[in-house]
Amino acid sequence: MNLPARVRVTRPPLPLAPALQAAAARLCPDAPQTLSAAALAIAGGSVIGAHLRWDGGEAANVETGWRGRGIEEVLAQTVTG
């Protein structure tokens, strides 16, 4: 899947650094802080998407202006990776 040129998807080490945790919480406010996996989409230095997984659940969200560009699919593949 090709992403927009400015977007990269990463699977950061856990626990998330405070700035990444804050961005993930903004996108997926119902997710707990203790995660089993996380994938983040970053564009221009800002987190624009997150797919988070924890024991018993998961949540995913991409900022409105970035939806429908394949980011959701890449996040899902990356968090499973």
Side-chain angles (χ1 to χ4, degrees), residues 1 5-6 8-9 11 16 30 40-41 44-45 49 78-79 81:
M1 173 75 55
R6 308 183 305 172
R8 67 182 174 90
V9 172
R11 190 168 177 183
L16 293 175
D30 295 334
L40 303 175
T78 303
V79 82

Side-chain angles (χ1 to χ4, degrees), residues 41-55:
I42 300 169
S46 297
V47 176
I48 55 125
H51 192 125
L52 310 175
R53 186 173 289 158
W54 60 92
D55 289 341

Side-chain angles (χ1 to χ4, degrees), residues 8-73:
R8 67 182 174 90
V9 172
T10 184
R11 190 168 177 183
L14 298 175
L16 293 175
L20 295 179
Q21 179 65 43
R26 175 180 56 81
L27 288 163
C28 301
D30 295 334
Q33 287 195 4
T34 303
L35 302 172
S36 58
L40 303 175
I42 300 169
S46 297
V47 176
I48 55 125
H51 192 125
L52 310 175
R53 186 173 289 158
W54 60 92
D55 289 341
E58 66 183 281
N61 192 18
V62 174
E63 287 184 359
T64 305
W66 291 96
R67 292 184 187 151
R69 300 184 190 195
I71 298 168
E72 296 90 340
E73 292 83 359

